[in-house]
Amino acid sequence: MNDIPPTHSTRELGRIRSGTDVYRRVNLALFVAGFVTFITLYDVQPLLPVFSREYGVAPALGSLPLSISTCTLAIAMLFAGTLSETWGRKQIMTGALFVTSLLALLSAYSHTFASLLFVRLLQGFALAGLPAVAMAYLGEEMDAASLGPAMGLYISGNAVGGMTGRIFTATMTDLVSWRAALGTIGILCLVSSWIFMKSLPPSHLHRRPFEARYLVTSLGYHLKEPKLRCLFGIAFIVVGSFVTLYNYLTFRLLASPYLLSQSHVSLIFLVYLLGSMSATGIGHFVNRFGRLAMIRFSLCAMAAGAALTLATPLPLIVAGVGLFTCGFFGAHAIASSSVSRMATTARAQATALYLFFYYLGSSVAGTAGGLFWKAWGWSGVVGLICLLLTAGFFVTIRLSSIIHAGYPPPNGMTPVEAVHP
């Protein structure tokens, strides 16, 4: 019942099998990589109200330290995949982790809003060397049967990193200061980057000279592929909804009638553990019910969870956030692994495009949510999220029709002809 068929290349490239020592080393390294990526990217999210207050800016502008990183990350990832084919997958990822760790440490010394935004902009560029390359590395190095669990564990690292960054930053802000929190995270990430460097085996991918024409043609081929375009749209929608909810939930819970402290608000991010479990466990349901059915189920779970947060009692809000988070990680795990499964060539460019739309959704919807928050409060934020998720459901219907129609490659070309004209 797996409705997104594998390509021939997914069977050709797998080398690493589950249960081996090298499999465990790769999982450790990629878990650490996901942890560093998300702890440094999202450690500022609970601080958005603090930035608005300290620097005297509106909530929509206060969200820019997060949005500017995700925006530059999205753009730079389009090039990172191709550069990794020239310089090496491991080399690009290792450099990205060390540079972003140093920038995280530097962000603690940002004394103006402009300087903070500049550091976060650079951090987005640095982080680009990790997500798309990591997903491509797994797609190339893992045995086909081991890819799903390995991808789920990598996304779990994302979840744990995101949760840790938010909770630790908020708690340290209450106890000491947000600068101390960001500086400590920078040091922790430097140590984690060293663990990654020592654990990850080099890629078996043969390096190729950098060709701008190859980059353009490979990206163009994937953008012309209808099935991949639908997956890119799902990425934009689910992460846009996810970041919007978490960005402005903090504003809501810090205000009346809740008046919670930063550290108390941060505890809601413990639901990330549920998201981590849903990312690793949803593969079993995919094998039984199919990928599209489980993406739709995940979107419905997100919508139901968002609607539940409209309730006033805090326990119901937490339950709604938990349901919403599980739905998000489930949809993301399925859609991201489907890109690796469907791309017939230039896999790094395909995953880079997926993550481009993923982080573009974060930037656009995450900032637009501030306008809805200012105009209509929390009901406006939830309304925006439900509109996005409804659009996502229609995208899955379109994807289903494309799959059943059996669309040929763009312009009748083979994948190799498309990217190597």
Side-chain angles (χ1 to χ4, degrees):
M1 298 189 66
N2 207 333
D3 37 27
I4 298 180
T7 65
H8 60 86
S9 57
T10 60
R11 292 189 292 269
E12 293 170 358
L13 291 173
R15 292 180 174 87
I16 300 173
R17 297 180 182 274
S18 60
T20 62
D21 179 65
V22 67
Y23 178 81
R24 288 186 286 270
R25 285 173 53 204
V26 169
N27 279 340
L28 171 63
L30 270 298
F31 182 90
V32 167
F35 178 87
V36 172
T37 301
F38 271 65
I39 195 174
T40 54
L41 184 60
Y42 288 110
D43 56 0
V44 298
Q45 191 169 46
L47 301 177
L48 302 185
V50 176
F51 295 149
S52 293
R53 184 173 61 251
E54 183 167 325
Y55 295 112
V57 296
L61 290 177
S63 70
L64 286 180
L66 177 58
S67 295
I68 199 169
S69 293
T70 54
C71 183
T72 54
L73 170 62
I75 296 170
M77 272 193 305
L78 296 178
F79 306 92
T82 300
L83 289 175
S84 73
E85 294 180 357
T86 301
W87 296 343
R89 301 280 200 228
K90 180 177 178 179
Q91 288 80 354
I92 288 288
M93 289 189 284
T94 301
L97 291 177
F98 276 104
V99 172
T100 196
S101 299
L102 291 171
L103 288 170
L105 188 58
L106 184 61
S107 66
Y109 298 94
S110 302
H111 294 289
T112 66
F113 192 57
S115 64
L116 176 63
L117 291 181
F118 181 68
V119 172
R120 293 289 298 178
L121 180 145
L122 295 178
Q123 205 164 358
F125 279 118
L127 281 170
L130 200 286
V133 180
M135 291 170 65
Y137 178 96
L138 287 173
E140 292 158 354
E141 301 297 324
M142 287 290 176
D143 176 76
S146 306
L147 176 60
M151 189 72 78
L153 190 60
Y154 167 65
I155 292 174
S156 294
N158 297 347
V160 173
M163 179 193 71
T164 303
R166 291 166 167 97
I167 294 176
F168 179 81
T169 301
T171 303
M172 280 286 287
T173 298
D174 272 350
L175 296 176
V176 187
S177 70
W178 65 266
R179 300 181 192 280
L182 297 185
T184 304
I185 286 174
I187 294 171
L188 172 64
C189 288
L190 283 172
V191 175
S192 299
S193 300
W194 181 85
I195 294 172
F196 171 87
M197 181 179 66
K198 293 297 183 181
S199 300
L200 188 72
S203 170
H204 288 92
L205 184 74
H206 294 295
R207 298 189 193 182
R208 53 176 294 135
F210 178 79
E211 298 177 26
R213 187 183 183 189
Y214 167 69
L215 173 62
V216 172
T217 54
S218 61
L219 293 177
Y221 171 76
H222 292 313
L223 284 173
K224 291 177 182 178
E225 170 54 56
K227 294 188 290 291
L228 288 176
R229 284 205 306 267
C230 289
L231 293 174
F232 300 155
I234 290 170
F236 182 98
I237 286 164
V238 296
V239 79
S241 304
F242 183 73
V243 170
T244 298
L245 184 136
Y246 274 95
N247 273 3
Y248 301 101
L249 182 65
T250 304
F251 285 90
R252 182 189 183 192
L253 296 181
L254 289 173
S256 178
Y258 305 103
L259 299 174
L260 299 179
S261 66
Q262 286 281 349
S263 54
H264 287 154
V265 170
S266 71
L267 293 178
I268 202 168
F269 295 116
L270 287 171
V271 299
Y272 260 56
L273 294 173
L274 297 176
S276 175
M277 290 186 289
S278 69
T280 54
I282 199 161
H284 301 293
F285 295 100
V286 166
N287 292 334
R288 182 174 180 182
F289 299 107
R291 290 175 178 262
L292 285 176
M294 292 311 301
I295 290 177
R296 289 169 183 159
F297 178 81
S298 298
L299 293 174
C300 289
M302 291 179 70
L308 190 55
T309 65
L310 291 170
T312 301
L314 190 57
L316 289 180
I317 295 174
V318 174
V321 173
L323 180 59
F324 179 89
T325 302
C326 288
F328 164 74
F329 278 103
H332 174 41
I334 298 167
S336 60
S337 63
S338 296
V339 171
S340 295
R341 186 181 179 88
M342 290 171 56
T344 55
T345 190
R347 196 177 264 105
Q349 286 72 27
T351 55
L353 275 171
Y354 174 85
L355 291 169
F356 169 79
F357 286 100
Y358 179 97
Y359 289 110
L360 186 65
S362 172
S363 301
V364 173
T367 301
L371 304 178
F372 280 75
W373 166 258
K374 185 176 181 179
W376 298 289
W378 185 248
S379 60
V381 173
V382 173
L384 172 62
I385 291 169
C386 289
L387 284 174
L388 287 170
L389 295 174
T390 300
F393 198 87
F394 282 106
V395 171
T396 66
I397 296 174
R398 171 62 177 162
L399 178 56
S400 178
S401 66
I402 290 170
I403 291 171
H404 288 106
Y407 273 48
N411 301 325
M413 294 184 291
T414 68
V416 174
E417 290 171 340
V419 298
H420 299 290

